[in-house]
Structures are given as C-alpha cells and as structure tokens.
C-alpha cells in the first residue's frame, strides 16, 4: 500500500486521508459484504442457488434485480428482469480516477481499455423507481450480479432502506448453468458475461483501500 501512496504523491495526487492500517482495512472491507452475509445466515435474506432461480422467479413470485453495469448486461441478461447498476461509468479524469487507473495498471498488469467505474450514488432511488409497480419496498427481489459480491452489497443497502423480501443469487451468474435462466438474451452465455468485468476489479480495489465501507 505504501507503493500506492508514493506513486500518487509522485504523480501530484493528494489523498484526502492516509491509507488505513491493514487491520482497519480488513474491518472496513468486510462491513458491507459481511453485514449482508449475516443477513443471509440469519435467514433475513434468502440465498438462492442458480439452479433454483427459476422456481424462485416462477413459483415464489420473486423478480430478478440485475445490479451489473450496462456493458455486462448487454453481453447477456435475463429478459424481463429489473436492471439497476450498483456501479456506473466513471469518466472523471480527476486525481481519484487517475489513482484508480494507476492501481489497475500496477495490480492487474495490463491496460484493458474497459470503462472505469464508480458506485452509483442513486442506486437505492433507482431501485425504488424500477420496482414501484411491484409493490415498492414490499417487492420480492432476487438480487444478482456476476460473482455474488456486488449483489451482497446491494442486498445490504436495500435491507438498510427497508426492503424485507430479499433474496440473493448465491455465487452470481458465473455459477449458473445453461438452462438455469431459460429466457436469456445477448451475445454471450450468462455465466461468461462478467469475465474481466472492471467494476468487480475496482470493487476489490476500493475495498482494499478502505474507500467502500
């Protein structure tokens, strides 16, 4: 982490606060996803395996909420699902974005050319608008992403906002098999649509830096 701070300083980038100590980073990085995992363990949020998703959607009345960014959903998505990205494109060229690009280059080892991302500040409001016709906060939502981490964070945010009929797609779309979601559209198979997704990479970086709590 000292390398990140040194590189930022050499590039003229001022950090708002020093990089937190490792113990603090660990605590911060687990607070969002860890809080959601506690909800799943307690039964407050139902964990649904991809092979059981069709039953949850068809027999139990859940609606699929896809929180992947638009470019992942464009590769493959489930027709009729609600789509509200937890991460959105970041076109800002300010110091924070430049630092993210430096970290991406240094830690990933190549320049992918994919879109950089940031947290969607309107996520909760956007979900409310998307599910207004499904009962609002009483809506039964099966929250899903590519690998299951972003959807865990989304579940925690929605639960904190008062949603109580939530389910989580365990392991995300990457764990699904052909036929788990029969009505898939796009150029890719659903389980491959997130491979190389930059929003997931940057989520790991933000957790590491203690930016996301």
């Amino acid at each position: 982490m000292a390398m990140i701070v040194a590189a930022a300083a050499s590039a003229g980038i001022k950090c708002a606060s020093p990089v937190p100590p490792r113990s603090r980073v660990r605590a911060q990085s687990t607070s969002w996803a860890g809080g959601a995992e506690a909800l799943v363990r307690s039964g407050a949020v139902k964990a649904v395996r991809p092979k059981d998703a069709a039953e949850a959607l068809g027999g139990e009345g859940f609606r699929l909420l896809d929180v992947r960014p638009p470019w992942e959903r464009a590769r493959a998505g489930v027709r009729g699902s609600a789509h509200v990205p937890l991460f959105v494109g970041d076109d800002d060229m300010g110091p924070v974005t430049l630092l993210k690009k430096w970290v991406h280059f240094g830690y990933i080892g190549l320049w992918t050319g994919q879109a950089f991302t940031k947290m969607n500040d309107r996520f909760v409001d956007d979900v409310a608008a998307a599910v207004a016709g499904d009962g609002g906060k009483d809506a039964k939502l099966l929250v899903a992403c590519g690998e299951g981490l972003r959807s865990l964070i989304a579940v925690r945010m929605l639960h904190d906002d008062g949603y109580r009929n939530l389910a989580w797609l365990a392991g995300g779309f990457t764990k699904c098999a052909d036929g788990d979601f029969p009505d898939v559209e796009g150029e890719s198979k659903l389980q491959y649509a997130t491979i190389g997704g930059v929003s997931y990479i940057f989520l790991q970086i933000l957790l590491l830096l203690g930016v996301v709590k």
Side-chain angles (χ1 to χ4, degrees):
M1 301 308 296
M3 292 175 60
I4 295 175
V5 176
S10 66
I13 299 173
K14 295 181 180 180
C15 296
S17 60
V19 177
R22 182 173 299 177
S23 60
R24 183 181 170 195
V25 170
R26 186 179 300 114
Q28 291 176 332
S29 67
T30 58
S31 60
W32 282 89
E37 288 172 350
L39 293 173
V40 172
R41 288 195 301 270
S42 71
V45 171
K46 180 179 181 179
V48 175
R49 295 174 297 182
K51 68 177 183 178
D52 300 322
E55 172 60 26
L57 297 174
E60 299 177 33
F62 280 90
R63 185 179 184 191
L64 186 65
L65 173 61
D66 186 344
V67 301
R68 297 174 301 161
W71 48 90
E72 289 184 28
R73 181 179 168 88
R75 293 185 196 126
V78 179
R79 187 176 287 108
S81 60
H83 177 232
V84 180
L86 181 64
F87 282 80
V88 294
D90 187 359
D91 298 324
D92 178 32
M93 294 303 292
V96 173
T97 302
L98 292 176
L99 178 58
K100 287 196 299 184
K101 291 183 177 183
W102 182 89
V103 172
H104 176 66
F105 182 82
Y107 277 79
I108 307 306
L110 69 154
W111 196 268
T112 65
Q114 299 184 56
F116 288 90
T117 58
K118 61 183 179 181
M119 293 285 288
N120 178 7
D121 293 335
R122 292 188 46 81
F123 175 73
V124 172
D125 292 337
D126 290 346
V127 171
V131 303
D134 298 302
K137 292 183 179 179
D138 292 324
K140 300 179 72 174
L141 301 176
L142 173 57
V143 186
C145 68
E147 309 84 356
L149 178 57
R150 291 168 292 182
S151 52
L152 268 181
I153 293 176
V155 160
R156 171 65 184 276
M157 294 172 68
L158 293 173
H159 189 272
D160 286 351
D161 197 54
Y163 291 80
R164 291 296 180 265
N165 296 314
L166 297 172
W168 167 63
L169 187 67
F173 292 128
T174 58
K175 299 297 183 182
C176 73
D178 292 347
D180 285 346
F181 293 90
D183 202 7
V184 175
E185 55 187 355
E187 63 186 16
S188 170
K189 290 189 176 183
L190 194 57
Q191 56 266 45
Y192 302 145
T194 302
I195 293 176
V198 169
S199 65
Y200 179 74
I201 293 170
F202 277 129
L203 175 57
Q204 301 297 325
I205 293 172
L206 292 175
L207 290 173
L208 182 64
L209 293 175
V211 175
V212 177
K213 301 180 180 179

